[in-house]
Amino acid sequence: MFTGKEGFSRHISQQFNHELEDIRTQMLAMGGQVERQVSDALDALLNNNPDLAEESRRVDRQTNQMELDIADQCTKMIAIRQPTASDLRLIVAISRAVSDLERIGDEASRICQHAIEIAQSGPAPRGYQEVRHIGMLVSSMVRDILTAFARDDLELAYSVAKQDTNVDQEYRSAMRSLVTYMMEDPRSISSILNVIWVLRSLERIGDHARNLSEHLIYQVSGTDVRHQSLKNIKRTLKDASPDDEAEMKDQGGS
Amino acid sequence: MNVPSLSRPLSASQAQDFQPERLKLQVENFSLHYGREQVLQDIHLALPAKRVTAFIGPSGCGKSTLLRSFNRLNDLIEGCVCRGDIRLDQESIYAPGRDVVELRRRVGMVFQKPNPFPKSIYENVAFGLRVQGIRDRRTLDDVVEFSLRAAALWDEVKDRLHDNGFDLSGGQQQRLVIARALAVEPDVILLDEPASALDPISSLKIEELINELKHSYTIIIVTHNMHQAARVSDYTAFLHQGRIIEFGDTDSIFTNPSKRQTEDYITGRYG
């Protein structure tokens, strides 16, 4: 039997341990910043606050820089440490995740741009109710997926992936009603188009949150679930290494 | 028939490898003691033909002992007792009356340190044939050239075949030893840390060679360099304290091992 040294989970190389923890912390910090960008963008739009929108767009430049820094560290770690198994998956998942986070930041920045244009063009157009509703759904997805990353929580990751289907439905229904409205009142087209772009960005943020949940599932379970149905993802989660869990119980949950 | 409990389902092409007719070596319930000390415990393993299988594990886990069991080199160690069976092409290698010299011809071995004989390059390679009583010059020439070519050494030594084997560099000596093993037409080649005494370039040349040789031979390699195992092997077995902890296709073992001990070992948390 495996006696004597089982139960450890730290690297023999403390330096590598430190690097892995550090890169994870940086990714979560970037996530926190992106989450704030999304909520600020919605706040700026719905409360007609162009100053906040400008400020949030500046933050996006930092987000871009964070992506470059983290991706660079991932590349260096792969070259120098030659990670395997869970370490390799953690680094691959993080380098994929930061690219999705950066794009969430871009979408938030786009929403800010529309918020500024709408603020300059006069009274609030129709569609704000839909923006508020979908905005809340998407914000909670981003928040939940970051919590899931912090806790390696696959159930929560799955619920985020599932939530994306709701967002897509809400988005389609909002589009239908806005298109109808534009047909009824062609003078509103230019202002409503701005709202449509905002909805589009929110829907894309939902997609990126789903991607993030797939990266986390890969990191933890080792199965790549990209481009798979929710049903398949659920099945993967059920199969995820029962062997290891049984073994950990054997070892007294060490 | 006993096929090892692979840690996860194999793909269709891999499943083919484990068809009975594709299996080169089968280890069944094999245990080995050195005196009172048990070194291998209840090993079950099936190794497909013309594939590279790597044994990895911490020092003293029994991987070299298991490797040496395949050509009965352990017989030479006093107090060594084994139970269970190993079969080469379905025939037991521990059966009473088995010709051990013939077995060692079919299962060649290369060690960690290159060990050419103090003879010329040519005679090193021709040695096995001379032992078999082959004297015909043309046959010897052909076999020497074929073996040196197969060991990717021919172009470097063809103009100096009668120089002493020790005049070659470490990496070349190791390839010379591999050529010597190939000359007697083995089925299986056992490599015990073949590149650990070599510089990185020579080491890569040996890896290239392994890739070439696996088209014709079944190769088993013991290595401490896990990334080397990942690069050269099709299947990997992780041993710990004399047992096989996990056996499976190399890609899965190195990206998503199913056992916690394997994970800890290959990620550098244990070893």
Side-chain angles (χ1 to χ4, degrees):
Chain A
M1 268 312 292
F2 198 70
T3 54
K5 291 191 188 173
E6 71 271 50
F8 47 80
S9 62
R10 300 181 77 81
H11 272 274
I12 291 166
S13 163
Q14 287 295 316
Q15 181 65 28
F16 188 26
N17 237 356
H18 180 71
E19 285 171 18
L20 286 171
E21 275 164 22
D22 188 46
I23 203 163
R24 212 173 112 98
T25 311
Q26 286 183 48
M27 191 272 280
L28 290 172
M30 179 182 174
Q33 179 160 314
V34 167
E35 186 188 344
R36 201 164 49 250
Q37 274 182 264
V38 174
S39 64
D40 283 354
L42 285 165
D43 195 1
L45 176 77
L46 298 171
N47 299 320
N48 207 10
N49 184 350
D51 293 340
L52 181 59
E54 287 288 1
E55 173 59 27
S56 178
R57 279 168 63 79
R58 272 194 291 278
V59 171
D60 191 48
R61 275 178 231 136
Q62 290 171 19
T63 305
N64 293 349
Q65 190 55 46
M66 282 168 126
E67 185 206 8
L68 294 178
D69 290 346
I70 297 175
D72 184 47
Q73 289 172 56
C74 287
T75 311
K76 279 190 186 138
M77 279 168 81
I78 291 173
I80 293 168
R81 304 284 179 187
Q82 304 185 332
T84 50
S86 61
D87 297 336
L88 177 65
R89 298 201 306 270
L90 174 72
I91 294 172
V92 168
I94 285 180
S95 76
R96 285 177 186 162
V98 291
S99 126
D100 274 304
L101 285 173
E102 189 272 334
R103 286 162 76 180
I104 293 178
D106 285 350
E107 297 295 349
S109 186
R110 230 163 259 156
I111 294 174
C112 289
Q113 179 65 41
H114 294 300
I116 294 166
E117 283 168 20
I118 290 171
Q120 286 165 351
S121 69
R126 285 192 62 123
Y128 267 31
Q129 207 180 339
E130 286 85 348
V131 169
R132 183 171 287 121
H133 178 56
I134 297 179
M136 269 169 62
L137 283 179
V138 163
S139 300
S140 76
M141 283 171 76
V142 174
R143 191 174 54 245
D144 286 351
I145 192 57
L146 290 168
T147 310
F149 259 101
R151 297 183 193 154
D152 285 349
D153 184 341
L154 294 191
E155 280 300 318
L156 191 55
Y158 174 72
S159 78
V160 170
K162 206 166 148 193
Q163 185 73 301
D164 186 42
T165 320
N166 289 343
V167 169
D168 290 351
Q169 259 168 14
E170 296 285 343
Y171 168 72
R172 277 195 294 273
S173 120
M175 289 297 278
R176 272 197 300 274
S177 70
L178 289 176
V179 168
T180 313
Y181 190 78
M182 287 193 290
M183 288 195 294
E184 284 169 0
D185 181 8
R187 282 168 309 168
S188 67
I189 287 179
S190 69
S191 64
I192 287 185
L193 267 179
N194 270 322
V195 178
I196 285 182
W197 293 130
V198 168
L199 285 173
R200 172 77 188 148
S201 285
L202 289 173
E203 190 270 339
R204 290 297 298 146
I205 292 175
D207 291 345
H208 289 303
R210 178 181 167 143
N211 291 351
L212 285 166
S213 71
E214 291 168 352
H215 303 330
L216 179 62
I217 290 168
Y218 172 70
Q219 180 202 313
V220 176
S221 76
T223 312
D224 199 340
V225 293
R226 289 177 294 174
H227 316 298
Q228 291 200 20
S229 65
L230 279 172
K231 211 169 147 191
N232 276 346
I233 296 180
K234 185 80 186 164
R235 198 174 306 139
T236 303
L237 295 185
K238 274 191 183 151
D239 295 347
S241 55
D243 198 79
D244 278 358
E245 282 164 23
E247 218 164 73
M248 283 169 79
K249 276 180 200 151
D250 281 354
Q251 293 174 2
S254 49
Chain B
M1 191 205 59
N2 253 328
V3 166
S5 48
L6 290 163
S7 40
R8 72 193 73 219
L10 291 166
S11 69
S13 62
Q14 289 165 343
Q16 283 263 318
D17 282 351
F18 289 90
Q19 295 296 310
E21 67 276 13
R22 289 276 298 142
L23 292 177
K24 187 50 111 178
L25 282 158
Q26 286 161 281
V27 186
E28 281 168 12
N29 203 18
F30 190 78
S31 300
L32 187 143
H33 291 76
Y34 289 140
R36 283 165 170 254
E37 190 194 355
Q38 182 157 18
V39 184
L40 295 173
Q41 297 181 46
D42 303 324
I43 306 276
H44 281 277
L45 203 56
L47 305 179
K50 298 189 182 173
R51 292 284 180 270
V52 182
T53 304
F55 292 165
I56 58 170
S59 296
C61 70
K63 53 194 189 303
S64 288
T65 303
L66 179 58
L67 192 75
R68 286 199 303 269
S69 303
F70 291 126
N71 66 354
R72 289 182 59 175
L73 273 190
N74 291 321
D75 290 9
L76 307 173
I77 296 170
E78 207 172 321
C80 173
V81 179
C82 50
R83 273 184 291 123
D85 200 9
I86 296 179
R87 286 184 296 179
L88 172 65
D89 287 332
Q90 315 294 340
E91 285 176 24
S92 170
I93 66 170
Y94 282 92
R98 175 89 196 201
D99 180 352
V100 179
V101 175
E102 166 65 9
L103 171 71
R104 290 184 191 146
R105 185 195 65 72
R106 287 181 62 193
V107 184
M109 183 142 185
V110 173
F111 298 90
Q112 179 176 4
K113 283 198 178 147
N115 56 349
F117 300 139
K119 292 169 177 286
S120 70
I121 294 168
Y122 183 98
E123 285 304 326
N124 260 285
V125 181
F127 187 82
L129 300 177
R130 291 207 192 277
V131 169
Q132 288 174 28
I134 297 170
R135 296 257 179 275
D136 178 48
R137 190 80 201 171
R138 178 169 293 181
T139 312
L140 289 175
D141 285 353
D142 286 351
V143 170
V144 167
E145 179 174 345
F146 168 83
S147 305
L148 286 170
R149 278 189 194 281
L153 189 59
W154 177 252
D155 288 336
E156 292 162 54
V157 302
K158 62 183 176 200
D159 301 322
R160 46 194 282 218
L161 288 176
H162 297 286
D163 288 6
N164 194 304
F166 284 112
D167 293 346
L168 298 174
S169 73
Q172 288 173 326
Q173 286 184 21
Q174 194 64 307
R175 280 179 283 148
L176 174 64
V177 173
I178 292 174
R180 187 175 71 197
L182 298 178
V184 292
E185 299 180 1
D187 293 338
V188 181
I189 301 172
L190 309 175
L191 302 166
D192 192 355
E193 300 266 3
S196 60
L198 304 180
D199 67 280
I201 301 294
S202 305
S203 183
L204 279 177
K205 283 188 182 169
I206 298 283
E207 288 175 24
E208 277 295 298
L209 176 58
I210 292 172
N211 251 328
E212 283 300 312
L213 293 177
K214 77 171 181 186
H215 300 299
S216 316
Y217 307 92
T218 304
I219 296 173
I220 308 172
I221 177 169
V222 163
T223 175
H224 274 301
N225 179 341
M226 277 175 294
H227 293 97
Q228 184 173 60
R231 284 192 297 269
V232 303
S233 68
D234 301 299
Y235 298 97
T236 299
F238 170 58
L239 282 88
H240 185 255
Q241 297 187 347
R243 290 174 186 275
I244 302 268
I245 303 294
E246 187 166 355
F247 176 60
D249 73 292
T250 300
D251 287 349
S252 307
I253 297 249
F254 281 90
T255 55
N256 190 13
S258 62
K259 295 281 181 0
R260 168 94 177 277
Q261 291 103 315
T262 318
E263 168 95 30
D264 282 344
Y265 180 70
I266 63 171
T267 54
R269 289 177 169 83
Y270 173 80

